[in-house]
Amino acid sequence: MNEDLKLKDWLNENRARGTRFLQRLVQEKSTRGNESSAQAIIIEKCRKLGLALDIWEIGDEELLKHPAYCSDRKDYSGNPNVVAVLKGKGDGKSIILNGHIDVVPEGDINDWTDDPFSGHIQEGKMYGRGTTDMKGGTAALLLALEAIIASNIKLKGDVIFQSVIEEESGGAGTLAAVLRGYQADGAIIPEPTNMKVFPKQQGSMWFRVSVKGKSAHGGTRYEGINAIEKSMLVIEGLQQLERVRNARIDDPLYENIPIPVPVNIGKIKSGDWPSSVPDIAIIEGRIGVAPHERMEDVEKELEAAIDEVCVKDGWLSENIPSIEWFGGRWQPGNLESDHPLITTVGKAFERVTNKEAIIEASPWGTDGGILSNVGHTPVVVIGPGVTASAHDANEYIFLDDVFEAAEVIALSIVSWCGMVEE
Amino acid sequence: MNEDLKLKDWLNENRARGTRFLQRLVQEKSTRGNESSAQAIIIEKCRKLGLALDIWEIGDEELLKHPAYCSDRKDYSGNPNVVAVLKGKGDGKSIILNGHIDVVPEGDINDWTDDPFSGHIQEGKMYGRGTTDMKGGTAALLLALEAIIASNIKLKGDVIFQSVIEEESGGAGTLAAVLRGYQADGAIIPEPTNMKVFPKQQGSMWFRVSVKGKSAHGGTRYEGINAIEKSMLVIEGLQQLERVRNARIDDPLYENIPIPVPVNIGKIKSGDWPSSVPDIAIIEGRIGVAPHERMEDVEKELEAAIDEVCVKDGWLSENIPSIEWFGGRWQPGNLESDHPLITTVGKAFERVTNKEAIIEASPWGTDGGILSNVGHTPVVVIGPGVTASAHDANEYIFLDDVFEAAEVIALSIVSWCGMVEE
């Protein structure tokens, strides 16, 4: 196919520019609340591509009151959502290309070899927070679009590119885009799947458990109750919950995933004095929600697991820990196995790589849950990079993977939206 | 004995004033770094009693370089140590009366019924942080002195009253007083022993263990190593260490103490994102040192216990946690059982209460370790209040106990220092 070659050639010829674009994105530390400078780079690129831009600060009443809205962020000002549309000639299927611009914090700086926002390139890899999750993916989306435009391919359907904030904290950015009216016949989210096709996505929710103790002087610690020791019982209960929930999952798409719906203990904080017995411990974590599950059922199951821990402990049965569902909340996504979008993307992958596409369920939540459940837009997640690198120190991405992803996405867009023949 | 009655009467007659004095002390929040306003009340009182005042800011070179100095405090300015001397007529034994003015933080404010610094009085108890640990004891010292002075009793030996800072963080205040030259033939420290006589004091040290993990996205948590889970193994190792160390203690003075030398896990902090696998956990705690033990041997024993945990765990054996000995460090105290100071204080107790004195080993460290090991001053710890209340929410002291302690201490001083007969 002639267009396939044109797109491949353009991507090959523009590797240096594309790489530099990704590097600039990575060098902007777009952690939560600091997304604006990275968005500015996206906006500049979209403007040069001639796309119709829609830039707005999210946070209106409709968003804040929506049942799927879940965020503790107080202020969105100065850090906009960006949508850029390439209008089709008509008569084709539309597609949303969704990437998030926010990155998680860099963690312990001592674990990084270079500055976490260096964008340093070595042996074909670019390093830095967000390279994999997911500025590499976002760069692939824009490279795909630029390749199509530069190759003078005219599409029938609309392409709606989205660079959203807040994915790492519950998806308020994508939800705002849905509520602004952006829907489509399909969507691609290039989160790091290592180019596997994920039609189902794990949802997830954050929880906070506050475990009470009784303070005392450390020298007579037996006169107090140590909240840290009691929180260890709660953590063991959560570990047991994870085992029970995962033993139940028999979806073949999860065959190769060691823990399909993990319970992650992400934070603990207790005590303010080494020689006092701490009287409260706060645990924060994330529980995965399987594609077929309802979030409220999973909430109830976790609450029951902690109740079970309490029943077995004299102190906890009198001092039940409080449980809050706060912050991040990602709906699971569940696209039917025979949806044409899966076929389109899978075939594009096969044309580019000469390998068979691997179809699996995603081990983590994405904004795909909101796009599909609230926006009624069928979603496939496929993107460059491996999950192991996301959120880790020395996060990196293979540049080859970014360009391969751009090619697969470009071919998918052309197939899905349809091409106006000359 | 006529003087006994005089002292008792004076204390009875001055209950309201004494109570108000303690209340004023409690209402000043003298947490670390904020000791000055409470010290001002002490200074005012000592000046009225006609004592020779020595008020100075600690932190000179000699202190900072002393092997027993252990503190992370950077600035002592504005928060002085106070020593006030009642000079004897000569030919008697001298005594140090030592109390600390610093209090530990109030903890979770929601656990308190009243403001933690209210000094609220109800049913014979005064409430507030520091009532028991140890402003009640300090008030008892000054009431004893005032009773002696007001009763016109002339002592032979010197009385050296000390109101020091930094006891809760390792004893730099008392160490500074020792280095300034204050030594005596005996010392009383009225920490809350519930009026038991403690000739031996548990020492203690703070430790910090940093446990490494490997960060990852929470949705694929199996690709990381959770530092919180690994720190649970370390905590279990420390719990086991506590069992082993206490099984070994056969000193009859510890007969009634459930855990003679506890290992307290006082703080834990790990993680900065609920849906990331945390890559480091910091545990801080306190290990008790038995009267006969050397601090360096206890350090080695804790380090060996953590090594043992690591050997059994694949990850920890490759990623050995780091151990720091930081902040608080209290020498143990070990007064020989037949020392005359024990007899003097014991008899005073019996004269006041008509009950037999109970002699035990203290379950916690005090500044007595520094007074005896560095200052070569024999120390007995005896004071009002129960340890269970110290460092706890709703800390309180029975006012009766404060006045009983003042009487016992007054009688002890008169016996020990000797009285000039008219």
Side-chain angles (χ1 to χ4, degrees):
Chain A
M1 198 179 176
N2 195 26
E3 283 69 30
D4 282 21
L5 266 179
K6 275 196 218 166
L7 293 166
K8 186 188 282 293
D9 285 349
W10 187 90
L11 286 166
N12 274 336
E13 284 158 17
N14 289 276
R15 254 189 96 103
R17 278 181 58 233
T19 301
R20 178 70 193 123
F21 175 73
L22 173 57
Q23 194 175 45
R24 283 179 64 208
L25 270 187
V26 170
Q27 286 167 348
E28 297 301 331
K29 179 177 170 170
S30 55
T31 48
R32 198 180 192 202
N34 307 298
E35 302 92 341
S36 65
S37 55
Q39 290 290 57
I41 294 172
I42 299 281
I43 292 166
E44 179 197 359
K45 168 62 76 181
C46 292
R47 208 185 297 274
K48 282 188 184 157
L49 293 180
L51 308 181
L53 273 161
D54 181 11
I55 302 161
W56 79 103
E57 288 172 0
I58 74 170
D60 63 10
E61 279 299 289
E62 188 188 7
L63 176 69
L64 303 186
K65 289 190 172 153
H66 194 278
Y69 176 75
C70 190
S71 174
D72 58 355
R73 183 157 168 176
K74 299 278 171 280
D75 184 18
Y76 295 102
S77 64
N79 293 288
N81 249 0
V82 177
V83 172
V85 178
L86 177 66
K87 198 77 192 146
K89 303 294 170 190
D91 235 10
K93 281 182 289 195
S94 59
I95 194 160
I96 285 173
L97 308 174
N98 175 289
H100 66 83
I101 199 68
D102 54 313
V103 299
V104 296
E106 63 272 27
D108 186 348
I109 190 89
N110 298 313
D111 289 341
W112 289 79
T113 307
D114 291 303
D115 182 295
F117 300 94
S118 67
H120 174 67
I121 298 169
Q122 195 169 355
E123 291 167 4
K125 299 182 211 171
M126 185 182 295
Y127 287 86
R129 172 60 78 238
T131 44
T132 285
D133 186 10
M134 61 172 289
K135 291 174 175 174
T138 295
L141 293 179
L142 285 169
L143 282 165
L145 263 184
E146 190 170 359
I148 290 170
I149 294 168
S151 303
N152 207 24
I153 295 170
K154 307 290 180 208
L155 300 173
K156 293 180 178 167
D158 298 342
V159 181
I160 303 161
F161 168 79
Q162 307 182 328
S163 176
V164 298
I165 65 173
E166 287 290 292
E167 192 275 345
E168 296 289 358
S169 314
T174 290
L175 180 59
V178 167
L179 298 180
R180 205 165 168 93
Y182 293 107
Q183 288 185 300
D185 299 314
I188 292 175
I189 303 183
E191 292 265 14
T193 70
N194 201 17
M195 294 308 282
K196 293 175 188 170
V197 180
F198 287 176
K200 298 191 183 189
Q201 299 105 45
Q202 187 196 132
S204 64
M205 296 182 283
W206 288 0
F207 56 86
R208 180 184 292 128
V209 187
S210 304
V211 184
K212 291 222 90 166
K214 181 176 175 303
S215 66
H217 190 294
T220 49
R221 69 163 197 79
Y222 42 84
E223 291 170 346
I225 299 288
N226 194 313
I228 296 172
E229 287 175 22
K230 292 302 172 189
S231 71
M232 284 166 68
L233 299 180
V234 171
I235 291 173
E236 283 162 16
L238 292 169
Q239 289 169 332
Q240 173 62 11
L241 171 70
E242 185 189 64
R243 282 187 289 271
V244 170
R245 283 175 51 71
N246 284 281
R248 210 157 60 195
I249 293 203
D250 56 2
D251 187 326
L253 287 191
Y254 277 116
E255 212 161 56
N256 297 315
I257 313 268
I259 309 176
V261 280
V263 178
N264 183 60
I265 310 297
K267 285 177 78 171
I268 185 168
K269 188 169 184 329
S270 179
D272 53 14
W273 201 256
S275 60
S276 291
V277 176
D279 60 358
I280 188 145
I282 314 284
I283 301 164
E284 290 180 6
R286 166 203 186 278
I287 184 166
V289 179
H292 64 279
E293 286 184 309
R294 297 192 319 159
M295 320 241 340
E296 54 267 41
D297 294 339
V298 178
E299 284 184 2
K300 277 184 203 138
E301 195 175 4
L302 183 140
E303 288 160 7
I306 289 178
D307 276 348
E308 204 178 312
V309 170
C310 295
V311 167
K312 293 182 198 148
D313 183 84
W315 170 262
L316 290 176
S317 61
E318 300 284 319
N319 297 272
I320 307 277
S322 72
I323 303 170
E324 293 162 78
W325 298 96
F326 78 108
R329 206 174 167 88
W330 294 260
Q331 308 257 354
N334 202 4
L335 190 61
E336 58 271 31
S337 303
D338 58 353
H339 193 280
L341 184 60
I342 303 174
T343 324
T344 299
V345 173
K347 280 193 178 155
F349 176 84
E350 284 160 18
R351 265 148 62 205
V352 171
T353 64
N354 289 318
K355 285 183 283 191
E356 204 177 333
I358 300 173
I359 299 174
E360 270 186 11
S362 94
W364 21 255
T366 71
D367 277 354
I370 290 171
L371 274 183
S372 55
N373 294 335
V374 186
H376 307 295
T377 298
V379 177
V380 157
V381 180
I382 176 171
V386 293
T387 324
S389 188
H391 297 211
D392 200 1
N394 299 318
E395 182 179 340
Y396 68 88
I397 197 160
F398 280 105
L399 291 168
D400 278 352
D401 292 351
V402 174
F403 287 89
E404 181 187 279
E407 196 177 342
V408 171
I409 292 166
L411 266 57
S412 299
I413 295 170
V414 175
S415 297
W416 185 256
C417 299
M419 197 174 62
V420 181
E421 303 291 336
E422 307 288 308
Chain B
M1 198 180 175
N2 196 23
E3 284 68 31
D4 282 23
L5 267 178
K6 274 198 220 167
L7 293 168
K8 188 188 281 292
D9 286 349
W10 186 91
L11 286 166
N12 274 336
E13 284 157 17
N14 288 275
R15 256 190 95 103
R17 279 181 55 233
T19 301
R20 178 71 195 122
F21 175 74
L22 174 56
Q23 194 176 44
R24 283 181 61 210
L25 271 187
V26 170
Q27 287 168 346
E28 296 302 330
K29 178 176 172 171
S30 56
T31 47
R32 199 179 192 202
N34 306 300
E35 302 92 342
S36 65
S37 55
Q39 290 290 57
I41 294 172
I42 299 283
I43 292 166
E44 179 196 0
K45 167 63 77 181
C46 292
R47 208 185 298 273
K48 283 189 184 158
L49 292 181
L51 308 181
L53 272 161
D54 182 11
I55 303 161
W56 79 102
E57 287 172 359
I58 74 170
D60 64 9
E61 278 300 286
E62 190 189 4
L63 176 70
L64 303 186
K65 288 189 171 155
H66 194 278
Y69 176 76
C70 191
S71 174
D72 58 357
R73 182 157 167 178
K74 298 280 171 278
D75 185 16
Y76 296 101
S77 63
N79 294 287
N81 251 1
V82 176
V83 173
V85 177
L86 177 64
K87 198 76 193 148
K89 303 295 172 190
D91 236 11
K93 282 181 290 195
S94 59
I95 194 160
I96 285 172
L97 307 174
N98 175 290
H100 66 83
I101 199 70
D102 53 312
V103 298
V104 296
E106 64 272 26
D108 186 347
I109 190 88
N110 298 314
D111 289 340
W112 289 78
T113 307
D114 290 304
D115 182 297
F117 299 94
S118 67
H120 174 66
I121 298 170
Q122 195 169 354
E123 292 168 3
K125 299 183 210 171
M126 185 182 296
Y127 288 87
R129 171 61 77 237
T131 44
T132 283
D133 187 9
M134 62 174 287
K135 290 174 175 174
T138 296
L141 293 179
L142 286 169
L143 282 166
L145 263 183
E146 191 170 0
I148 290 169
I149 294 168
S151 303
N152 209 24
I153 296 171
K154 306 291 179 208
L155 300 173
K156 293 179 178 168
D158 299 342
V159 181
I160 303 159
F161 167 80
Q162 307 182 328
S163 177
V164 298
I165 65 172
E166 286 292 291
E167 193 274 346
E168 297 289 357
S169 314
T174 289
L175 181 59
V178 167
L179 298 179
R180 204 164 169 93
Y182 292 108
Q183 287 185 300
D185 300 315
I188 292 175
I189 302 182
E191 291 264 15
T193 71
N194 201 18
M195 294 308 281
K196 293 176 189 170
V197 179
F198 287 176
K200 299 191 181 187
Q201 299 103 44
Q202 188 195 134
S204 64
M205 296 182 285
W206 288 0
F207 57 86
R208 180 184 293 129
V209 187
S210 304
V211 184
K212 290 222 89 165
K214 181 177 176 301
S215 65
H217 190 293
T220 50
R221 69 163 197 80
Y222 41 83
E223 289 171 346
I225 299 287
N226 194 314
I228 296 172
E229 287 175 22
K230 292 301 173 190
S231 72
M232 285 167 66
L233 299 179
V234 171
I235 291 172
E236 282 162 17
L238 292 170
Q239 289 169 332
Q240 172 62 10
L241 171 70
E242 185 189 66
R243 283 188 288 272
V244 170
R245 282 175 52 72
N246 284 282
R248 211 158 59 195
I249 292 202
D250 56 3
D251 187 326
L253 288 191
Y254 276 115
E255 213 162 55
N256 298 315
I257 314 268
I259 309 175
V261 281
V263 178
N264 183 61
I265 310 298
K267 285 176 75 169
I268 187 169
K269 188 170 184 330
S270 180
D272 53 14
W273 201 256
S275 59
S276 290
V277 176
D279 61 358
I280 188 144
I282 313 284
I283 301 165
E284 290 180 7
R286 167 204 185 277
I287 183 166
V289 180
H292 63 278
E293 287 185 309
R294 297 191 321 158
M295 322 244 332
E296 54 267 41
D297 294 339
V298 179
E299 284 184 1
K300 277 183 202 136
E301 197 175 2
L302 183 141
E303 287 160 8
I306 289 177
D307 277 349
E308 203 178 314
V309 170
C310 294
V311 166
K312 293 182 200 146
D313 183 86
W315 171 262
L316 290 176
S317 62
E318 301 283 320
N319 297 273
I320 308 277
S322 72
I323 302 170
E324 293 163 77
W325 298 96
F326 78 109
R329 204 174 168 86
W330 293 258
Q331 307 258 354
N334 202 4
L335 190 61
E336 58 274 29
S337 303
D338 57 354
H339 194 280
L341 184 61
I342 303 174
T343 325
T344 300
V345 173
K347 281 194 180 156
F349 177 82
E350 284 160 16
R351 267 149 60 204
V352 170
T353 64
N354 289 317
K355 286 183 279 190
E356 207 177 331
I358 300 172
I359 299 173
E360 269 186 11
S362 93
W364 20 253
T366 71
D367 277 356
I370 290 171
L371 274 183
S372 55
N373 294 335
V374 187
H376 307 295
T377 297
V379 176
V380 158
V381 180
I382 177 171
V386 293
T387 323
S389 188
H391 296 211
D392 199 3
N394 299 319
E395 182 179 338
Y396 69 88
I397 197 159
F398 280 106
L399 292 168
D400 278 351
D401 292 351
V402 174
F403 287 89
E404 180 187 278
E407 195 177 342
V408 172
I409 292 166
L411 266 55
S412 300
I413 296 170
V414 175
S415 297
W416 185 257
C417 298
M419 197 174 64
V420 181
E421 303 293 337
E422 307 288 307

